[in-house]
Amino acid sequence: MKLKIVEYPDKKLREKSTKVKEFNSWLHKLLDSMNPIMINTNGIGLASIQIGIAKNILILNIPNEDGEQPDENLLEIINPVLSNQKGETTYQEGCLSVPSFYEDINRFETVSVAYQDRDGNHHSIEADGLLSIAIQHEIDHLNGILFIDKLASSRRRKFEKEYKKMLKERKHKGK
Ligand SMILES: [Zn+2]
């Protein structure tokens, strides 16, 4: 599969993803092709809507302390359901679909997530730290929500200006 990251303000990112019902080779191929995109772009998470596929599919790979993202850190999460949201934390988030922009975002500190793996088996995990933040960020994507939607309105306006400028400059450079 040849895949490209969908970038803001593409309306595709606002689409609500739907449940995966078949855990077949199409799903496996999709997951296998999402992983290198995430790793090569230094992402820690990627939802399938970010490559234009509106399904409840996301992958995560939280780096080790040395910054490496070994395959054993890879989490494939299908049809996630969040519960047990507790506490509060702030982290400077970025998004592969909103390039070159980072902003402090408030999230729950810990969450539980029930999900299925690529073969449809059911699992649940409790997440804290960066994993918890990344899971919440990616599940937002499945609901058509971006981290910039959480900015206060004055900051959001500033972002829109800066982002437009960035897109213009990038176009100019022919990238
Ligand atoms: Zn994102």
Side-chain angles (χ1 to χ4, degrees), residues 14 91 93 103-108 133 136-141 143 145-156 159:
R14 298 305 185 184
Y91 186 78
E93 296 187 21
E103 193 63 47
D104 283 347
I105 301 294
N106 296 323
R107 299 275 183 191
F108 296 109
I133 291 162
Q136 293 172 70
H137 176 116
E138 296 310 326
I139 289 178
D140 273 353
H141 275 300
N143 294 311
I145 297 167
L146 299 170
F147 78 110
I148 48 171
D149 300 341
K150 298 179 183 291
L151 297 174
S153 57
S154 58
R155 190 69 195 91
R156 176 62 181 264
F159 157 76

Side-chain angles (χ1 to χ4, degrees), residues 116-141:
Q116 285 169 280
D117 63 25
R118 61 163 60 204
D119 297 312
N121 301 309
H122 292 266
H123 303 269
S124 74
I125 49 168
E126 275 180 45
D128 60 9
L130 188 50
L131 178 61
S132 168
I133 291 162
I135 285 175
Q136 293 172 70
H137 176 116
E138 296 310 326
I139 289 178
D140 273 353
H141 275 300

Side-chain angles (χ1 to χ4, degrees), residues 35-101:
N35 188 37
I37 294 179
M38 176 179 68
I39 298 297
N40 294 338
T41 49
N42 298 314
I44 61 169
L46 184 69
S48 64
I49 189 64
Q50 293 181 272
I51 49 167
I53 295 163
K55 287 283 175 190
N56 288 342
I57 299 167
L58 59 94
I59 60 171
L60 297 155
N61 189 319
I62 305 300
N64 292 337
E65 273 172 33
D66 58 9
E68 296 293 315
Q69 293 176 292
D71 282 345
E72 62 257 33
N73 289 8
L74 178 65
L75 258 178
E76 296 175 339
I77 294 184
I78 320 294
N79 299 331
V81 179
L82 270 183
S83 63
N84 254 329
Q85 296 96 326
K86 281 185 197 142
E88 212 183 293
T89 188
T90 303
Y91 186 78
Q92 193 179 59
E93 296 187 21
C95 179
L96 296 178
S97 295
V98 189
S100 355
F101 191 75

